[in-house]
Amino acid sequence: MPEYKTQPLIANYVSGLLPEGERDRRVALTSFDSRADRAKIPAKDVVCYECGRRSRVPAAALSANCVHCHAHLRMTDIELKPNSSRLTVRTLGNVTVLQDANLSQLSIVCHDLLLIGRGSGSFKCSGTLKISSDSKIDGDVYAENLLVERGADVVFVRGVKTGSVEIFGRVSGRIESAGNVVLHRGAELCGNCYAPMLIVKAGASHRGGWQKISPAEVAPLIEEDLP
Ligand SMILES: [Zn+2]
């Protein structure tokens, strides 16, 4: 039986330190410019609905986690049907209340909210709140843009805070806007209006006061306002 002898491994470099050429080769193989690589994936900025801070996420993602508070962020679009039992919705996508719905006690945080059917409750939209139904909304409402369509009759029981307003239908309630409020032909607004500018076009009417305010004077809607 041949004698077994262990052979010491003799490396020609000091343990842990690779020769310069080999080190450069390995670094080139395993590293990439993360910024350049990330730029290839279409991304978008989202604002976390839990902490309000901004995260950058892949544009095609259906959900993500906030990099700040690690909250799970849903990004899908949601449709609320007439028989929907779901009242609380949190998404970075869009929400549609479908035709023939008459949902109350909603609590919705989303990007665009479209009320084709009737909806009432508290709404916070980082995009546009577009209303084409007769809705009496009894909660706190914040929308970056408010659009009330022709034929719609909307009551904001507790008023509405927005970044801009365009009204083609009828609106009752107090409006606080950081941007211009435009009443288009045929529009009716009944309620006090606080905005940098109120534009009442020919064929539109406004009953109530108007007070010129600067955008900074619109008090932000705090999260506690939502149930
Ligand atoms: Zn967050």
Side-chain angles (χ1 to χ4, degrees):
M1 195 174 175
E3 193 188 353
Y4 176 74
K5 274 190 188 161
T6 55
Q7 293 287 317
L9 172 72
I10 299 167
N12 58 357
Y13 43 82
V14 181
S15 175
L17 290 174
L18 294 168
E20 204 172 326
E22 175 65 8
R23 189 194 64 206
D24 289 349
R25 193 182 71 85
R26 293 194 188 186
V27 166
L29 277 175
T30 55
S31 68
F32 52 88
D33 185 340
S34 60
R35 273 169 306 170
D37 200 63
R38 230 174 272 162
K40 288 178 207 152
I41 307 166
K44 61 179 177 183
D45 278 332
V46 296
V47 176
C48 173
Y49 44 69
E50 298 294 343
C51 72
R53 284 177 286 184
R54 209 168 272 277
S55 300
R56 195 148 182 83
V57 302
L62 297 178
S63 72
N65 286 309
C66 171
V67 295
H68 306 286
C69 73
H70 306 289
H72 179 76
L73 303 175
R74 204 175 301 116
M75 283 185 260
T76 46
D77 294 341
I78 290 165
E79 292 187 332
L80 296 177
K81 297 187 171 67
N83 56 357
S84 171
S85 58
R86 184 171 182 182
L87 299 174
T88 299
V89 178
R90 298 281 182 274
T91 180
L92 294 169
N94 305 325
V95 175
T96 305
V97 174
L98 294 176
Q99 185 120 34
D100 301 324
N102 189 0
L103 304 170
S104 57
Q105 295 181 309
L106 294 169
S107 172
I108 296 176
V109 177
C110 65
H111 187 62
D112 291 341
L113 172 59
L114 175 57
L115 296 184
I116 300 173
R118 295 175 190 208
S120 176
S122 295
F123 306 137
K124 188 179 177 188
C125 314
S126 56
T128 300
L129 168 58
K130 187 171 162 185
I131 307 176
S132 54
S133 61
D134 297 348
S135 283
K136 185 178 177 185
I137 300 166
D138 56 15
D140 291 297
V141 180
Y142 172 82
E144 196 49 43
N145 308 294
L146 172 66
L147 174 63
V148 177
E149 300 229 86
R150 194 173 299 283
D153 188 349
V154 184
V155 179
F156 293 104
V157 176
R158 299 184 61 175
V160 56
K161 290 176 183 175
T162 73
S164 71
V165 182
E166 290 204 60
I167 300 174
F168 293 87
R170 294 177 58 177
V171 173
S172 300
R174 167 197 167 101
I175 291 177
E176 244 182 278
S177 178
N180 294 347
V181 175
V182 185
L183 305 183
H184 291 273
R185 185 187 176 83
E188 281 177 48
L189 171 62
C190 180
N192 291 339
C193 180
Y194 304 82
M197 198 184 277
L198 171 65
I199 300 162
V200 183
K201 297 206 172 174
S205 68
H206 177 217
R207 276 182 296 141
W210 170 59
Q211 195 182 325
K212 189 182 175 76
I213 59 164
S214 69
E217 288 176 84
V218 177
L221 182 84
I222 47 173
E223 204 59 49
E224 288 75 60
D225 288 345
L226 291 166

